[in-house]
Every structure is written in C-alpha cells, then in structure tokens.
Amino acid sequence: QVQLVESGGGLVQAGGSLKLSCAASGRTFSRNTMGWFRQAPGKERDIVAGIMWSYGDTYYADSVKGRFTISRDFAKNTVYLQMNSLKPEDTAVYYCAADTTWRPRGQIATNVYDYGIWGQGTQVTVSS
C-alpha cells in the first residue's frame, strides 16, 4: 500500500513563507504526476500545483504563479511546495496527491478526480 504523508504546515503571517513536504512510502508505484491541492472551509478542493515526476514539467494555478514553487527529490521520494509571499486567502488544508495514469509529457492532470492516491492533509493558516 502506498502512503503519502504531508508535513510543514503551520501558522504564518501574511508575506511569510512555508515549505510543505510530501513523502511517499510503501510499495513502489508508478506515478505520472504529483499534485498539491488545497481546500478552504466551504470550498471545493482545487489544484495548486503539479509536477510530472519523470520530466519535471510543472503547472501552477493562476492564483499562486510567481509565489509558489513545486519540486521533487527522486532520492527522497518526496515532492515539495515552497510557498512565498503568503496571503490570508492561501489559508486552507493542503493535500498531496498522485496521478498514476500515464499521460504524455506536458499533460498535467488538474482535476481532483484524476488523482487516486491522497495524503491526509496539512493545515496552512496565514494571518493578516
């Protein structure tokens, strides 16, 4: 069984930074894309960023472009989300997820239903 475990969430002031980590453990699994999603109270879960595991191609939601950076470390089997210039509207539970469907390079899944493996989530709170 595959497990994704997020860490790095917390409380930060507006303008600050946080770095989230998502470590994969368990059986070896083929992943096409690793994604970070977030869900604020009363809102849908939306993609924040995605990275194609093999190629490194990335996708960012418009709301985080220029502020967030997604990266991965093969040796540590970990994906990261560096979040800078945080705003109160970034407050949400952040989830790591894996899309195991093969897709051609550049075709990063952005729909929550394309991701079949999920972590438990980590809370990020940005105070004004």
Side-chain angles (χ1 to χ4, degrees), residues 69-82:
T69 303
I70 189 170
S71 61
R72 83 273 198 238
D73 185 319
F74 291 119
K76 295 183 178 180
N77 215 9
T78 298
V79 63
Y80 303 97
L81 185 68
Q82 176 67 48

Side-chain angles (χ1 to χ4, degrees), residues 37 45-47 110-116 118:
F37 288 76
R45 189 175 299 187
D46 293 321
I47 192 165
T110 59
N111 193 303
V112 65
Y113 299 106
D114 291 322
Y115 290 76
W118 291 85

Side-chain angles (χ1 to χ4, degrees), residues 37-41 88-95 122-126:
F37 288 76
R38 67 186 179 188
Q39 187 168 22
E89 50 264 44
D90 294 318
T91 295
V93 177
Y94 282 71
Y95 297 90
T122 186
Q123 176 70 47
V124 171
T125 303
V126 184

Side-chain angles (χ1 to χ4, degrees), residues 1-4 6 22 27 29-37 45 47 95-103 109-120:
Q1 187 172 353
V2 176
Q3 279 191 315
L4 301 178
E6 302 99 333
C22 172
R27 65 171 176 82
F29 70 106
S30 177
R31 78 207 80 176
N32 181 279
T33 302
M34 296 296 296
W36 283 100
F37 288 76
R45 189 175 299 187
I47 192 165
Y95 297 90
C96 171
D99 170 21
T100 59
T101 301
W102 181 88
R103 303 180 196 279
T110 59
N111 193 303
V112 65
Y113 299 106
D114 291 322
Y115 290 76
I117 303 173
W118 291 85
Q120 82 287 352

